[in-house]
Amino acid sequence: MTMDVSPALLTAAEQYATEQLTTELPGDYSYHTIDHTRQVVMAAGLIGTHTGLTENEIRLVQLAAWFHDLGYIRQYIQHEDQSRIMAKGFLESHDASPVILQYVDDLISATKLDCEPRNALEEVLKDADLYNLATTEALENSQKIRQEWKVFFNREYTDQEWDEFNYNFFKNFEYYTQYARENLEPLKQENQRKIKKNIKKRRKVAVVADRSTLEGVVESQEEQIEKLQRKLKKIRNERPERGVETMFRTTYRTHISLSDLADSKANTLLSINAIVISIIFSNALTGKELFPNAVYPVFGILGVCMLTIIFAILATRPKISSGTFTREDILNKKTNLLFFGNFYKMSLDDYLWGVSQMMNDAEYLYGSMTKDIYFLGRVLDKKFRLLRLAYNVFMYGMGVCLLAFLIIYLLSFGK
């Protein structure tokens, strides 16, 4: 399959993204607009050229750049997931090859802040997405992001809090490509020094205004930064509370314990009935000669034992599925990688890729765990229904057969 991106496809993507971000993007966005997307596309071409990418590789990165922020039209948090869906729909409608679809999907995923790039193309797009940090408009654009967070996160930062957060972000972020490290990093550091200068100026003003109050109330710079980082991480990832994870852990443990209990009960029934059958067969001929009419309850006991064994086996008989999945199944969240029956025939590389996709999507991960618990419950329901039936057959059947044996005995020898 080819990964060639035609200029016509790139032009069509530009027209589509421009139309969507111009007409469909809510008016509350001040930074993540068509202007930002155009800057990223431009930067991808610039960085890609100096990094040594081929013309087709540059077009591939720019194709992903046109789509990387389209998801903001639908949601702010984890917008990359919606961007991937919109890109997939567009590319499929233009008959793009599966290879191009996969590259674009991976490139968009790589633009997440906490995602490390895995190849040169992802490094180029990652640097292009934060090209803004090295521009003269960086501090102005930072205020636009601050305004977006106020609208979408309902979180207002003081000037001091915002400057300290930005200083920490500028300080900790490092460009990936050699071109960006040599040419963009010095400009980014210059913006970083401007932010630090503003922080010192505001601190000095605050100290002069009320030194005693400041010493008792204001946290240290390191504590402020750590606090803001924790809050931002919580907002970005929307991780569930510890209680939810404890719930999943406890439920899994309970289901597994119940499954072990059901298997143990089934094994007990199998052992008991096997012993009964072996005893009956070893004494059947002798019993028939001494007590001919007893053959009827004996055969009844054999029948009861066989039915009990059948139901006990059905309760423990495993059911295995196909053991394969496709990458499309993962992208569409149609398979559960937590159950071995869905992947045991797959290669290690495909399985690792699938698990990686699942771990990057909290909704998919916890949805898979919920489905796994549900189907474990369905299996337990089947096991215990069959076990109950086996116990009923054994209990009532043996009772009836023993009663019949007693009646026949009394009729035969009671006279």
Side-chain angles (χ1 to χ4, degrees), residues 23 26 88 102 159 162 174 198 227 281 324 370 380 382:
T23 62
K88 183 174 183 290
Q102 189 59 58
D159 291 339
W162 189 250
E174 296 181 359
N198 289 337
K227 179 180 177 181
F281 272 117
T324 60
T370 302
L380 285 175
K382 178 182 177 182

Side-chain angles (χ1 to χ4, degrees), residues 85-134:
I85 294 173
M86 297 176 73
K88 183 174 183 290
F90 173 86
L91 294 173
E92 286 180 342
S93 68
H94 285 72
D95 298 325
S97 69
V99 177
I100 293 178
L101 263 68
Q102 189 59 58
Y103 265 104
V104 170
D105 187 89
D106 291 342
L107 284 166
I108 294 175
S109 296
T111 61
K112 294 181 179 180
L113 286 177
D114 56 353
C115 183
E116 287 294 319
R118 298 170 298 179
N119 52 53
L121 275 66
E122 293 182 2
E123 288 180 350
V124 168
L125 183 56
K126 192 86 170 179
D127 287 353
D129 194 21
L130 291 173
Y131 174 86
N132 164 71
L133 301 183

